[in-house]
Amino acid sequence: MLVPDLPLRTDRLVLRAFTADDLAVVRDYRGRPEVTRFLYHQPYDDEAARAAIDRLVRRTALRVEGDVLNLAVTLAGTGDFVGDVLLTWTSREHRQGEIGYVAHPDHTGRGYVTEAARELLRLGFEGLGLHRIVGRLDARNAASARVLERLGMRREAHLRENEFVKGEWTDEAVYAVLAREWRAAA
């Protein structure tokens, strides 16, 4: 079980629980087609953004297998919203997890997502005691693949047309890192 003491802080970022006050910013960045291009959902409208906030505000701990920790990522100095990150506890028995992230397009290219995701890897390995953490993505999403590679994750699989997303068959890439690899790199 992992109930992190929020907010978490990195050199440049604050990772905090979502609040109802985040509705407008979630609607804004998750409502953009360029943000959701490689995600499973369509751009958010008002109704989808409200439903997302209802879920996100409750995702603050990993108590049982299947739980998701989803945190808003903001700049430490200004509070500007730069995206969100998540850690899913996928298997208690096998000590497995999965990370994910979505960046606000106004703040890409500065390493913020990598910095925030690195903190979630730390939580997964050091706080929850995971053995292995994966990152899955649409194989066309080169920017996301670069983030996973900067985190020290290795590409383990390229699954051909394994998912039907938004009316088309898409390939999925799977990256992973083991706890011992994480410790060795840190």
Side-chain angles (χ1 to χ4, degrees):
M1 182 169 78
L2 175 66
V3 182
D5 185 19
L6 299 175
L8 305 173
R9 297 182 188 281
T10 67
D11 289 342
R12 303 179 295 165
L13 305 172
V14 175
L15 285 67
R16 62 167 176 77
F18 276 91
T19 71
D21 292 338
D22 295 318
L23 176 62
V25 73
V26 168
R27 167 65 172 90
D28 172 46
Y29 83 105
R30 291 274 185 125
R32 299 180 189 197
E34 69 272 21
V35 171
T36 61
R37 178 175 178 217
F38 298 121
L39 300 178
Y40 291 108
H41 64 78
Q42 295 293 339
Y44 284 174
D45 57 15
D46 291 339
E47 182 180 338
R50 278 192 298 277
I53 284 292
D54 288 345
R55 284 188 312 274
L56 293 169
V57 298
R58 294 190 309 269
R59 292 178 166 182
T60 58
L62 299 170
R63 292 183 173 84
V64 296
E65 179 180 305
D67 279 355
V68 178
L69 174 66
N70 214 149
L71 301 176
V73 180
T74 62
L75 293 178
T78 64
D80 288 351
F81 191 93
V82 299
D84 66 89
V85 291
L86 66 83
L87 175 64
T88 305
W89 189 4
T90 58
S91 174
R92 180 185 186 115
E93 178 183 2
H94 303 292
R95 296 175 34 215
Q96 307 266 332
E98 180 177 341
I99 61 165
Y101 40 81
V102 180
H104 191 298
D106 294 347
H107 297 283
T108 58
R110 296 180 185 102
Y112 297 140
V113 169
T114 303
E115 187 174 327
R118 184 172 286 117
E119 181 63 10
L120 287 193
L121 287 175
R122 185 193 67 74
L123 274 182
F125 290 129
E126 296 176 9
L128 194 55
L130 296 177
H131 171 70
R132 182 173 186 270
I133 298 176
V134 301
R136 299 178 312 117
L137 62 145
D138 185 306
R140 298 171 295 180
N141 192 342
S144 186
R146 286 191 300 274
V147 169
L148 296 174
E149 290 163 1
R150 281 193 299 271
L151 291 169
M153 301 178 87
R154 87 188 137 280
R155 188 177 190 145
E156 292 190 336
H158 184 112
L159 308 172
R160 300 294 310 263
E161 296 185 11
N162 70 311
E163 296 180 314
F164 194 73
V165 180
K166 299 177 183 171
E168 66 179 324
W169 288 105
T170 62
D171 292 5
E172 180 182 32
V174 180
Y175 286 73
V177 63
L178 301 175
R180 68 176 172 267
E181 296 166 333
W182 170 256
R183 284 189 299 273

